[in-house]
Amino acid sequence: MSARPDGFRADSLVDLVGRTPLLRLRGVTADLPPKVRVWAKLEGFNPGGSIKDRPALRMLQEGLRTGNLRQGKVIIDSTSGNTGIALAMLGAALGFPVEMVVPSNASIERRQIIQAFGAKLIESDPLEGSDGAIRLCREIIADDRDRYFKPDQYFNEANPLAHYETTGPEIWEQTCGRVTHFLAGIGTSGTIMGTGRFLKEQNSAIRIMAIEPDDAFHGLEGLKHMASSIVPGIYHEGELDDKIPTPTDEAYDMVYRLGREEGLLVGQSSGAACWAALKLARTLDEGEIVIVFPDFGDKYLSTNLWQGWGEMPRPADLPQR
Amino acid sequence: MAVHVKIPTPLRKFTEGNERVEVVGENVGALLEEMERRFPGIRERLCDDQGKVRRFVNLYLNGDDVKFLGGLATKLAEGDEIAIVPAIAGGRS
């Protein structure tokens, strides 16, 4: 369950999903009280490059078990990117054709990676964001219902179950049961629902806190502002202890700091997680805070995170430490 | 000169739910000023305290990214179309 031993060998790609490392952050946390530690679960180590490999695999396994996914079916879903990459990768590995509905303003790297796995990319209206992709996907399926298997990550209980069965136990073991706070962003809410449920069962005092954009109009790709969004069926707000609204600008700045101060190039949702964790950490005397870094940052080099309005930092322009 | 402006779902609360509005402006900066006059509060969502367009906001002029054209000084002509597109956002319509 813990990080893989050296020389790990796998018979199948699916055996490489999960068991990601937990890294203690030591640079951006330098000004915290000495008994407060922040640990990042580095989900970029999954074979598809993000945490979405876990729910994608679990949802396909459930589909195969129930017979809803079988030869002749096409895997289809709407996604802002990482789930599409995970499903395209697993579809290729398991021998299923894949079609993904993605808002056309998802990063070019994500869209290209999905296609590199042989999947068909269907672009939805960028003005309508991820909800526009959800609606378009529903329309496509309605035209030919028997053709498709839709994992339906926003409503499929196998999504949070993946985290209940893997992410949660890994964190519990990697922190030797000492975790006091678990923070994760909400996209589908699968990560925080499943992981939170497992951790609460081990120790009900563990605080489960969700990170969400501070406004409906934001730049945190992958995260949802729940109050203004289609609410996922798997989301149960009552299971959260708190929510931390996070401004896009602060999350972006934290991405730049993580690169220079930790040696971690991550995406904006990781920046948001880290900003929220440090905000929380400054209010504590002691604690073991675990946050999720959903992916690494190489998929975002073409996005507004790094390509901006002239006055924005480009990697080469950032001040040296 | 009137320009068509496409409004993303999360900002339609400022435009009485309209996904498309006609706004007058000789360049992009002037257009944003005029939008604020007509739809108070919208500018703060698009620009920071110094008046710079927020990092996650994209403005497209007839499909081309304004930040790679002339930024806020980009000239506009009658019938042009400006689309305001955030990185990725949810939003109910």
Side-chain angles (χ1 to χ4, degrees):
Chain A
M1 203 62 85
S2 53
R4 296 182 193 97
D6 290 343
F8 182 85
R9 190 175 75 181
D11 289 328
S12 161
L13 182 85
V14 301
D15 296 335
L16 299 178
V17 174
R19 291 183 289 179
T20 55
L22 188 72
L23 177 71
R24 182 170 168 198
L25 301 184
R26 293 177 181 273
V28 297
T29 57
D31 64 336
L32 295 184
K35 289 184 179 171
V36 180
R37 286 184 280 262
V38 179
W39 304 83
K41 186 81 166 144
L42 300 181
E43 291 296 305
F45 277 97
N46 281 294
S50 88
I51 192 165
K52 293 297 190 176
D53 287 2
R54 296 176 190 260
L57 176 61
R58 193 67 183 78
M59 291 187 294
L60 295 187
Q61 287 173 332
E62 190 63 15
L64 290 167
R65 190 186 68 77
T66 58
N68 288 329
L69 175 60
R70 54 187 181 275
Q71 285 307 316
K73 289 271 190 176
V74 175
I75 299 167
I76 190 170
D77 216 336
S78 58
T79 159
S80 64
N82 276 332
T83 301
I85 292 172
L87 289 171
M89 176 190 78
L90 293 168
L94 299 173
F96 288 96
V98 175
E99 296 182 10
M100 284 294 129
V101 186
V102 179
S104 63
N105 55 332
S107 80
I108 180 73
E109 294 93 332
R110 284 183 175 190
R111 289 181 284 137
Q112 287 179 338
I113 292 167
I114 288 170
Q115 291 174 304
F117 286 121
K120 179 179 170 188
L121 192 77
I122 301 163
E123 298 192 344
S124 63
D125 186 344
L127 298 180
E128 295 183 12
S130 53
D131 286 356
I134 292 174
R135 279 189 288 266
L136 179 59
C137 185
R138 285 176 185 163
E139 289 169 24
I140 293 168
I141 293 170
D143 285 343
D144 195 353
R145 203 164 286 282
D146 292 339
R147 182 163 183 257
Y148 294 108
F149 170 75
K150 185 181 184 216
D152 207 359
Q153 57 170 342
Y154 292 96
F155 290 86
N156 190 333
E157 286 297 332
N159 172 357
L161 191 60
H163 298 289
Y164 179 87
E165 291 175 343
T166 67
T167 318
E170 288 171 32
I171 289 169
W172 183 251
E173 186 175 303
Q174 287 169 319
T175 61
C176 302
R178 294 195 189 101
V179 52
T180 58
H181 298 75
F182 175 71
L183 276 65
I186 348 179
T188 67
S189 78
T191 304
I192 196 145
M193 287 294 128
T195 309
R197 228 165 263 160
F198 178 86
L199 293 175
K200 283 276 190 193
E201 282 178 11
Q202 312 312 307
N203 175 1
S204 60
I206 296 172
R207 301 270 292 167
I208 307 300
M209 305 168 86
I211 299 149
E212 71 167 357
D214 66 344
D215 189 78
F217 188 63
H218 67 89
L220 298 174
E221 185 166 336
L223 301 191
K224 247 179 188 289
H225 179 259
M226 276 303 164
S228 63
S229 303
I230 294 175
V231 177
I234 58 173
Y235 178 61
H236 305 291
E237 192 159 296
E239 294 181 35
L240 301 176
D241 290 305
D242 208 351
K243 289 202 280 187
I244 305 177
T246 303
T248 296
D249 282 335
E250 304 285 0
Y252 282 21
D253 286 343
M254 189 56 70
V255 170
Y256 310 140
R257 286 190 64 193
L258 286 165
R260 288 171 288 149
E261 298 177 36
E262 300 284 351
L264 287 171
L265 175 60
V266 293
Q268 46 270 54
S269 57
S270 301
C274 190
W275 182 83
L278 296 189
K279 185 167 186 251
L280 165 71
R282 292 192 189 97
T283 68
L284 303 176
D285 295 322
E286 54 185 301
E288 304 286 341
I289 302 171
V290 174
I291 52 180
V292 172
F293 280 4
D295 60 6
F296 287 129
D298 41 350
K299 288 189 289 269
Y300 304 98
L301 292 174
S302 76
T303 70
N304 292 46
L305 182 60
W306 293 105
Q307 306 281 335
W309 287 85
E311 65 281 359
M312 277 197 34
R314 292 175 302 163
D317 297 340
L318 287 166
Q320 303 299 305
R321 291 179 71 205
Chain B
M1 64 201 74
V3 173
H4 308 291
V5 183
K6 291 171 81 174
I7 308 292
T9 323
L11 294 184
R12 288 178 196 162
K13 62 187 171 194
F14 294 101
T15 60
E16 297 172 336
N18 290 314
E19 58 185 278
R20 201 177 164 87
V21 294
E22 307 293 313
V23 183
V24 173
E26 66 174 34
N27 59 39
V28 174
L31 178 101
L32 295 180
E33 297 289 345
E34 177 63 10
M35 285 183 66
E36 174 63 17
R37 197 184 64 74
R38 285 181 48 199
F39 313 114
I42 199 167
R43 194 171 200 284
E44 183 195 332
R45 303 305 173 96
L46 300 172
C47 302
D48 65 16
D49 299 342
Q50 283 93 48
K52 293 175 182 166
V53 178
R54 291 185 185 278
R55 284 179 284 189
F56 66 89
V57 176
N58 295 305
L59 302 175
Y60 293 97
L61 170 59
N62 303 325
D64 293 323
D65 194 333
V66 168
K67 61 175 156 315
F68 302 126
L69 298 173
L72 293 180
T74 305
K75 295 277 186 219
L76 299 173
E78 181 74 27
D80 276 348
E81 182 183 88
I82 288 276
I84 302 171
V85 182
I88 286 281
R92 220 166 10 204
S93 60

